[in-house]
Amino acid sequence: MEQVAKKDIRALSKEQLRDFFVSEGDKAFRGNQVYEWLWQKGAHSFDDMTNISKETRKMLEDNFVINHIRVDKMQRSSDGTIKNAVRLHDGLIVESVLIPTSTRTTACVSSQVGCSLDCKFCATSRLKRMRNLNPDEIYDQVIAIDRESRLYHNRPLSNIVFMGMGEPLMNYNNVLKAIDKITSEEGLGMSPKRITVSTSGVPKMIKKMADDEVKFKLAVSLHSAIDEVRTEIMPFNEHFPLKDLKEALAYWYDKTKNKITYEYVVWDGINDQQKDINALVKFCKDVPSKVNLIEYNPIDDGQFQQASNKAIDRYVDSLEQNGITVTVRRSRGKDIDAACGQLANKE
């Protein structure tokens, strides 16, 4: 007899779980109990569900699977950063990172296996996009990092950034479902204001987010406010030029009143001239925003090299003189390839 593939139980809503138990002749509230085990308590097997009878657990086992992630390999950096190589139920691997500071711990999570886009400076973009992550796979990364945060830093996870592998807006529905779970009282109960979704800039999807009235923060991987330069380093910019991006960001701000953060790396000989600085200042003035200047983390070849401190200082001075908030972000976890742009599943 052909075996029927079991359904992933976390694909069911709470209502569907309640209906399932009623259809099996059980009480609807049993669905609530199972739902709590799956999401709030992060159960990895039906046997973990200790307040449910053995017969019921066996019945669940016969009908469903829990496709939870497994942290295959955890690396700890000298600066306290932790990188997880996360194995998915089908054997594919993504990476997520815990970044600690004295006041917070931040999870940097992945949304795709590989990436849909082709930014030349990023190791992840060299992996072809295999598939989107499901909401539960995104959620599980956060649960794993929350546990590590409590274990190694004695505090719960405080912030989440979608800056790991993949372009979150190319997996929009699943990312939103994961965030719903993370912010729900039935999940982690985290404030959406502590979550930042970082995109390389997909105008249509930025507008959709605004229309959907999302409550989380938006960051844009900008790196140049000159079309020719940006297209050279981020070829998809040809399809999503800066004028379209700017229009979408204005729409976002108009709807949400939330400032945008521009992530910006300065490279030697690529975007370190005064004309690059002037273009960024002008771009920032169109929509209320702030700038994170990010230290670059080489990915083995010579085309992209960190700009001089002098060039960074010129950026900071010009932005500040024009009343634009700017921070210089030093990279964390470089010794374990956990820094921005380095996530590439190296063995």
Side-chain angles (χ1 to χ4, degrees):
M1 198 172 96
E2 191 184 337
Q3 188 149 15
V4 180
K6 294 181 193 176
K7 190 172 174 64
D8 181 0
I9 193 166
R10 288 190 298 177
L12 271 59
S13 67
K14 190 201 275 189
E15 287 65 38
Q16 288 170 318
L17 268 176
R18 287 168 61 87
D19 291 346
F20 169 76
F21 277 103
V22 171
S23 73
E24 292 288 320
D26 207 333
K27 302 274 194 301
F29 83 88
R30 196 72 68 210
N32 299 6
Q33 287 180 306
V34 171
Y35 192 84
E36 187 178 317
W37 275 109
L38 293 172
W39 297 105
Q40 256 183 326
K41 297 178 180 174
H44 277 192
S45 82
F46 296 112
D47 282 340
D48 294 342
M49 300 177 179
T50 45
N51 62 348
I52 291 168
S53 72
K54 275 191 174 157
E55 294 74 30
T56 304
R57 282 182 264 163
K58 169 83 171 66
M59 183 266 291
L60 288 170
E61 191 81 53
D62 290 343
N63 285 279
F64 300 106
V65 289
I66 305 174
N67 283 333
H68 63 81
I69 65 164
R70 198 173 76 233
V71 176
D72 232 22
K73 183 177 176 186
M74 185 191 86
Q75 291 171 275
R76 293 177 68 190
S77 163
S78 55
D79 65 18
T81 301
I82 293 172
K83 180 170 81 168
N84 292 327
V86 171
R87 188 173 293 278
L88 308 173
H89 69 94
D90 56 5
L92 294 172
I93 288 182
V94 295
E95 293 179 341
S96 53
V97 182
L98 165 65
I99 306 154
T101 69
S102 57
T103 55
R104 61 171 65 178
T105 48
T106 300
C108 175
V109 299
S110 294
S111 55
Q112 295 181 311
V113 185
C115 188
S116 311
L117 302 180
D118 50 11
C119 306
K120 292 183 181 175
F121 54 84
C122 178
T124 309
S125 71
R126 298 178 178 191
L127 309 169
K128 71 177 192 297
R129 187 186 75 79
M130 314 271 196
R131 69 172 175 85
N132 288 332
L133 293 187
N134 296 327
D136 51 277
E137 293 171 324
I138 297 168
Y139 184 86
D140 282 356
Q141 293 173 69
V142 175
I143 289 280
I145 290 177
D146 181 51
R147 285 176 180 161
E148 290 165 351
S149 179
R150 291 167 192 269
L151 180 63
Y152 297 110
H153 298 284
N154 297 317
R155 61 165 83 110
L157 184 65
S158 61
N159 296 75
I160 300 170
V161 293
F162 281 78
M163 294 183 189
M165 303 168 80
E167 165 52 65
L169 299 195
M170 296 291 198
N171 185 17
Y172 182 74
N173 290 338
N174 288 351
V175 165
L176 246 60
K177 283 178 187 166
I179 291 173
D180 280 348
K181 282 283 188 287
I182 291 162
T183 55
S184 160
E185 284 309 317
E186 294 173 328
L188 285 180
M190 186 179 275
S191 165
K193 292 184 171 61
R194 293 176 174 270
I195 300 173
T196 301
V197 170
S198 177
T199 174
S200 295
V202 187
K204 183 175 78 175
M205 298 312 294
I206 291 170
K207 286 180 174 177
K208 180 163 174 45
M209 280 200 300
D211 288 338
D212 287 344
E213 298 180 352
V214 300
K215 299 288 186 278
F216 50 77
K217 293 176 178 170
L218 174 64
V220 175
S221 239
L222 190 63
H223 311 306
S224 177
I226 300 170
D227 265 317
E228 304 73 62
V229 178
R230 195 166 192 260
T231 300
E232 180 53 37
I233 54 182
M234 304 166 85
F236 68 86
N237 184 68
E238 208 166 333
H239 307 292
F240 307 131
L242 287 166
K243 69 173 174 44
D244 294 354
L245 176 59
K246 193 190 294 183
E247 185 208 334
L249 294 172
Y251 186 85
W252 159 273
Y253 184 78
D254 193 45
K255 284 262 185 176
T256 67
K257 295 297 177 272
N258 275 338
K259 263 189 180 183
I260 293 123
T261 299
Y262 295 126
E263 308 282 353
Y264 199 101
V265 179
V266 187
W267 291 285
D268 184 43
I270 292 176
N271 60 351
D272 59 350
Q273 300 303 304
Q274 193 58 45
K275 68 175 196 293
D276 300 294
I277 299 173
N278 296 344
L280 176 61
V281 167
K282 186 170 179 296
F283 196 86
C284 288
K285 284 184 171 177
D286 286 327
V287 184
S289 54
K290 54 185 180 176
V291 176
N292 268 348
L293 293 175
I294 303 170
E295 187 179 358
Y296 182 59
N297 310 295
I299 54 167
D300 300 338
D301 60 22
Q303 185 187 357
F304 293 95
Q305 296 298 328
Q306 170 76 24
S308 67
N309 286 336
K310 200 177 281 184
I312 305 280
D313 290 344
R314 282 204 308 273
Y315 263 97
V316 172
D317 291 346
S318 291
L319 288 161
E320 285 181 343
Q321 280 164 19
N322 283 277
I324 297 155
T325 303
V326 56
T327 51
V328 179
R329 212 170 75 201
R330 301 290 168 206
S331 283
R332 309 289 301 272
K334 283 201 276 194
D335 55 331
I336 55 169
D337 284 338
C340 267
Q342 289 187 316
L343 302 185
N345 295 341
K346 285 187 195 167
E347 285 305 315

Tab-separated table of all heavy atoms in Angstrom, residues 216-249:
chain	number	residue	atom	x	y	z
A	216	PHE	N	6.680	46.624	11.767
A	216	PHE	CA	8.129	46.489	11.973
A	216	PHE	C	8.893	47.574	11.226
A	216	PHE	O	8.308	48.356	10.466
A	216	PHE	CB	8.612	45.083	11.566
A	216	PHE	CG	8.152	44.627	10.197
A	216	PHE	CD1	8.736	45.097	9.047
A	216	PHE	CD2	7.114	43.707	10.078
A	216	PHE	CE1	8.324	44.689	7.804
A	216	PHE	CE2	6.674	43.270	8.831
A	216	PHE	CZ	7.288	43.766	7.687
A	217	LYS	N	10.203	47.619	11.418
A	217	LYS	CA	11.022	48.659	10.804
A	217	LYS	C	11.575	48.188	9.461
A	217	LYS	O	11.691	46.986	9.219
A	217	LYS	CB	12.178	49.026	11.742
A	217	LYS	CG	11.701	49.695	13.020
A	217	LYS	CD	12.876	49.943	13.931
A	217	LYS	CE	12.429	50.658	15.206
A	217	LYS	NZ	13.504	50.687	16.196
A	218	LEU	N	11.934	49.167	8.636
A	218	LEU	CA	12.446	48.869	7.292
A	218	LEU	C	13.877	49.380	7.152
A	218	LEU	O	14.180	50.517	7.508
A	218	LEU	CB	11.556	49.552	6.247
A	218	LEU	CG	12.009	49.471	4.785
A	218	LEU	CD1	12.015	48.031	4.285
A	218	LEU	CD2	11.108	50.325	3.893
A	219	ALA	N	14.746	48.502	6.652
A	219	ALA	CA	16.109	48.913	6.292
A	219	ALA	C	16.329	48.579	4.819
A	219	ALA	O	15.788	47.596	4.312
A	219	ALA	CB	17.139	48.186	7.157
A	220	VAL	N	17.100	49.432	4.150
A	220	VAL	CA	17.377	49.217	2.723
A	220	VAL	C	18.885	49.147	2.518
A	220	VAL	O	19.639	50.013	2.955
A	220	VAL	CB	16.793	50.368	1.863
A	220	VAL	CG1	17.187	50.200	0.398
A	220	VAL	CG2	15.275	50.407	1.991
A	221	SER	N	19.311	48.071	1.867
A	221	SER	CA	20.720	47.903	1.499
A	221	SER	C	20.984	48.800	0.294
A	221	SER	O	20.668	48.431	-0.833
A	221	SER	CB	20.923	46.436	1.087
A	221	SER	OG	21.862	45.814	1.870
A	222	LEU	N	21.546	49.969	0.530
A	222	LEU	CA	21.626	50.967	-0.548
A	222	LEU	C	22.979	50.951	-1.260
A	222	LEU	O	23.063	50.705	-2.454
A	222	LEU	CB	21.326	52.364	0.026
A	222	LEU	CG	21.147	53.477	-0.996
A	222	LEU	CD1	19.943	53.232	-1.901
A	222	LEU	CD2	21.001	54.831	-0.287
A	223	HIS	N	24.030	51.295	-0.542
A	223	HIS	CA	25.424	51.209	-1.005
A	223	HIS	C	25.829	52.186	-2.103
A	223	HIS	O	27.006	52.380	-2.343
A	223	HIS	CB	25.807	49.786	-1.418
A	223	HIS	CG	25.423	48.761	-0.400
A	223	HIS	ND1	25.810	48.851	0.923
A	223	HIS	CD2	24.642	47.657	-0.474
A	223	HIS	CE1	25.305	47.831	1.603
A	223	HIS	NE2	24.575	47.110	0.773
A	224	SER	N	24.874	52.765	-2.773
A	224	SER	CA	25.165	53.881	-3.679
A	224	SER	C	23.861	54.565	-4.049
A	224	SER	O	22.838	53.895	-4.224
A	224	SER	CB	25.857	53.415	-4.963
A	224	SER	OG	26.050	54.544	-5.813
A	225	ALA	N	23.915	55.892	-4.157
A	225	ALA	CA	22.735	56.646	-4.602
A	225	ALA	C	22.935	57.153	-6.026
A	225	ALA	O	22.292	58.099	-6.468
A	225	ALA	CB	22.469	57.800	-3.632
A	226	ILE	N	23.871	56.516	-6.745
A	226	ILE	CA	24.102	56.807	-8.173
A	226	ILE	C	23.771	55.530	-8.947
A	226	ILE	O	24.352	54.466	-8.689
A	226	ILE	CB	25.572	57.223	-8.425
A	226	ILE	CG1	25.921	58.481	-7.615
A	226	ILE	CG2	25.833	57.428	-9.913
A	226	ILE	CD1	27.403	58.832	-7.616
A	227	ASP	N	22.807	55.627	-9.872
A	227	ASP	CA	22.313	54.421	-10.549
A	227	ASP	C	23.414	53.564	-11.176
A	227	ASP	O	23.437	52.351	-10.995
A	227	ASP	CB	21.280	54.791	-11.632
A	227	ASP	CG	19.851	54.688	-11.093
A	227	ASP	OD1	19.559	53.696	-10.394
A	227	ASP	OD2	19.048	55.601	-11.349
A	228	GLU	N	24.342	54.215	-11.910
A	228	GLU	CA	25.362	53.420	-12.625
A	228	GLU	C	26.231	52.641	-11.631
A	228	GLU	O	26.575	51.482	-11.869
A	228	GLU	CB	26.293	54.304	-13.479
A	228	GLU	CG	25.613	55.187	-14.508
A	228	GLU	CD	24.883	56.375	-13.878
A	228	GLU	OE1	25.555	57.217	-13.237
A	228	GLU	OE2	23.645	56.443	-14.000
A	229	VAL	N	26.578	53.286	-10.531
A	229	VAL	CA	27.439	52.634	-9.529
A	229	VAL	C	26.665	51.496	-8.865
A	229	VAL	O	27.170	50.387	-8.695
A	229	VAL	CB	27.916	53.653	-8.459
A	229	VAL	CG1	28.762	52.951	-7.400
A	229	VAL	CG2	28.695	54.783	-9.105
A	230	ARG	N	25.417	51.778	-8.513
A	230	ARG	CA	24.617	50.751	-7.821
A	230	ARG	C	24.372	49.546	-8.737
A	230	ARG	O	24.420	48.396	-8.290
A	230	ARG	CB	23.283	51.350	-7.344
A	230	ARG	CG	22.570	50.458	-6.326
A	230	ARG	CD	21.436	51.180	-5.605
A	230	ARG	NE	20.972	50.406	-4.460
A	230	ARG	CZ	19.893	49.642	-4.432
A	230	ARG	NH1	19.120	49.564	-5.503
A	230	ARG	NH2	19.558	48.974	-3.349
A	231	THR	N	24.130	49.807	-10.018
A	231	THR	CA	23.903	48.695	-10.954
A	231	THR	C	25.168	47.852	-11.107
A	231	THR	O	25.096	46.629	-11.247
A	231	THR	CB	23.434	49.222	-12.329
A	231	THR	OG1	22.212	49.943	-12.132
A	231	THR	CG2	23.204	48.105	-13.322
A	232	GLU	N	26.318	48.502	-11.046
A	232	GLU	CA	27.594	47.778	-11.157
A	232	GLU	C	27.767	46.804	-9.990
A	232	GLU	O	28.218	45.674	-10.182
A	232	GLU	CB	28.751	48.792	-11.198
A	232	GLU	CG	30.133	48.190	-11.303
A	232	GLU	CD	30.314	47.190	-12.455
A	232	GLU	OE1	29.740	47.402	-13.547
A	232	GLU	OE2	31.018	46.192	-12.241
A	233	ILE	N	27.404	47.229	-8.771
A	233	ILE	CA	27.613	46.353	-7.619
A	233	ILE	C	26.382	45.497	-7.293
A	233	ILE	O	26.501	44.436	-6.701
A	233	ILE	CB	28.049	47.154	-6.364
A	233	ILE	CG1	27.082	48.289	-6.035
A	233	ILE	CG2	29.455	47.689	-6.534
A	233	ILE	CD1	27.460	49.142	-4.852
A	234	MET	N	25.202	45.988	-7.703
A	234	MET	CA	23.946	45.262	-7.455
A	234	MET	C	23.172	45.229	-8.773
A	234	MET	O	22.285	46.049	-9.008
A	234	MET	CB	23.136	45.976	-6.361
A	234	MET	CG	23.913	46.152	-5.060
A	234	MET	SD	23.123	47.324	-3.910
A	234	MET	CE	21.962	46.267	-3.059
A	235	PRO	N	23.497	44.294	-9.667
A	235	PRO	CA	22.966	44.331	-11.038
A	235	PRO	C	21.439	44.417	-11.147
A	235	PRO	O	20.918	44.990	-12.102
A	235	PRO	CB	23.495	43.036	-11.655
A	235	PRO	CG	24.785	42.790	-10.912
A	235	PRO	CD	24.518	43.234	-9.506
A	236	PHE	N	20.694	43.876	-10.174
A	236	PHE	CA	19.231	43.940	-10.266
A	236	PHE	C	18.717	45.375	-10.213
A	236	PHE	O	17.567	45.635	-10.548
A	236	PHE	CB	18.584	43.114	-9.142
A	236	PHE	CG	18.804	43.705	-7.784
A	236	PHE	CD1	17.951	44.679	-7.296
A	236	PHE	CD2	19.880	43.308	-7.008
A	236	PHE	CE1	18.170	45.250	-6.057
A	236	PHE	CE2	20.107	43.877	-5.773
A	236	PHE	CZ	19.245	44.858	-5.295
A	237	ASN	N	19.582	46.335	-9.814
A	237	ASN	CA	19.193	47.746	-9.774
A	237	ASN	C	18.720	48.232	-11.147
A	237	ASN	O	17.957	49.186	-11.254
A	237	ASN	CB	20.367	48.598	-9.286
A	237	ASN	CG	19.993	50.076	-9.137
A	237	ASN	OD1	19.215	50.438	-8.269
A	237	ASN	ND2	20.534	50.917	-10.012
A	238	GLU	N	19.166	47.544	-12.193
A	238	GLU	CA	18.731	47.891	-13.550
A	238	GLU	C	17.207	47.763	-13.675
A	238	GLU	O	16.564	48.538	-14.362
A	238	GLU	CB	19.422	46.946	-14.546
A	238	GLU	CG	19.610	47.570	-15.896
A	238	GLU	CD	20.582	46.770	-16.755
A	238	GLU	OE1	21.472	46.084	-16.215
A	238	GLU	OE2	20.410	46.843	-17.975
A	239	HIS	N	16.646	46.771	-12.973
A	239	HIS	CA	15.195	46.539	-13.041
A	239	HIS	C	14.442	47.362	-11.993
A	239	HIS	O	13.257	47.636	-12.140
A	239	HIS	CB	14.893	45.052	-12.839
A	239	HIS	CG	15.667	44.169	-13.770
A	239	HIS	ND1	15.444	44.151	-15.129
A	239	HIS	CD2	16.690	43.296	-13.543
A	239	HIS	CE1	16.276	43.299	-15.703
A	239	HIS	NE2	17.052	42.778	-14.756
A	240	PHE	N	15.131	47.693	-10.901
A	240	PHE	CA	14.511	48.490	-9.820
A	240	PHE	C	15.323	49.755	-9.600
A	240	PHE	O	15.998	49.893	-8.573
A	240	PHE	CB	14.466	47.692	-8.506
A	240	PHE	CG	13.838	46.332	-8.605
A	240	PHE	CD1	14.473	45.213	-8.077
A	240	PHE	CD2	12.597	46.163	-9.188
A	240	PHE	CE1	13.890	43.954	-8.141
A	240	PHE	CE2	12.002	44.902	-9.255
A	240	PHE	CZ	12.652	43.799	-8.733
A	241	PRO	N	15.353	50.701	-10.559
A	241	PRO	CA	16.234	51.866	-10.438
A	241	PRO	C	15.901	52.743	-9.238
A	241	PRO	O	14.816	52.635	-8.649
A	241	PRO	CB	16.024	52.617	-11.752
A	241	PRO	CG	14.708	52.148	-12.275
A	241	PRO	CD	14.526	50.750	-11.781
A	242	LEU	N	16.840	53.614	-8.903
A	242	LEU	CA	16.727	54.419	-7.678
A	242	LEU	C	15.479	55.300	-7.655
A	242	LEU	O	14.892	55.509	-6.595
A	242	LEU	CB	17.987	55.263	-7.497
A	242	LEU	CG	19.231	54.463	-7.060
A	242	LEU	CD1	20.493	55.294	-7.233
A	242	LEU	CD2	19.104	53.988	-5.619
A	243	LYS	N	15.052	55.801	-8.801
A	243	LYS	CA	13.863	56.682	-8.782
A	243	LYS	C	12.624	55.887	-8.345
A	243	LYS	O	11.772	56.393	-7.620
A	243	LYS	CB	13.648	57.379	-10.132
A	243	LYS	CG	13.233	56.508	-11.288
A	243	LYS	CD	12.894	57.371	-12.503
A	243	LYS	CE	12.612	56.590	-13.754
A	243	LYS	NZ	11.754	55.413	-13.645
A	244	ASP	N	12.532	54.620	-8.775
A	244	ASP	CA	11.414	53.772	-8.357
A	244	ASP	C	11.516	53.441	-6.872
A	244	ASP	O	10.507	53.419	-6.152
A	244	ASP	CB	11.388	52.465	-9.163
A	244	ASP	CG	11.086	52.704	-10.633
A	244	ASP	OD1	10.790	53.864	-10.997
A	244	ASP	OD2	11.152	51.745	-11.421
A	245	LEU	N	12.749	53.169	-6.437
A	245	LEU	CA	12.968	52.866	-5.025
A	245	LEU	C	12.601	54.067	-4.154
A	245	LEU	O	11.882	53.941	-3.156
A	245	LEU	CB	14.445	52.477	-4.803
A	245	LEU	CG	14.861	52.213	-3.355
A	245	LEU	CD1	14.051	51.079	-2.730
A	245	LEU	CD2	16.363	51.881	-3.280
A	246	LYS	N	13.049	55.240	-4.586
A	246	LYS	CA	12.783	56.462	-3.826
A	246	LYS	C	11.274	56.733	-3.722
A	246	LYS	O	10.755	57.072	-2.656
A	246	LYS	CB	13.486	57.650	-4.504
A	246	LYS	CG	13.536	58.903	-3.644
A	246	LYS	CD	14.022	60.093	-4.444
A	246	LYS	CE	15.467	59.944	-4.893
A	246	LYS	NZ	15.927	61.164	-5.609
A	247	GLU	N	10.581	56.512	-4.826
A	247	GLU	CA	9.131	56.732	-4.835
A	247	GLU	C	8.434	55.762	-3.862
A	247	GLU	O	7.539	56.140	-3.112
A	247	GLU	CB	8.603	56.526	-6.263
A	247	GLU	CG	7.130	56.851	-6.417
A	247	GLU	CD	6.461	56.043	-7.539
A	247	GLU	OE1	7.162	55.632	-8.487
A	247	GLU	OE2	5.252	55.823	-7.425
A	248	ALA	N	8.902	54.501	-3.856
A	248	ALA	CA	8.316	53.499	-2.956
A	248	ALA	C	8.601	53.850	-1.499
A	248	ALA	O	7.742	53.676	-0.627
A	248	ALA	CB	8.877	52.110	-3.285
A	249	LEU	N	9.795	54.355	-1.229
A	249	LEU	CA	10.159	54.709	0.148
A	249	LEU	C	9.364	55.919	0.638
A	249	LEU	O	8.967	55.990	1.808
A	249	LEU	CB	11.661	54.971	0.254
A	249	LEU	CG	12.537	53.727	0.015
A	249	LEU	CD1	14.008	54.106	-0.050
A	249	LEU	CD2	12.307	52.670	1.086
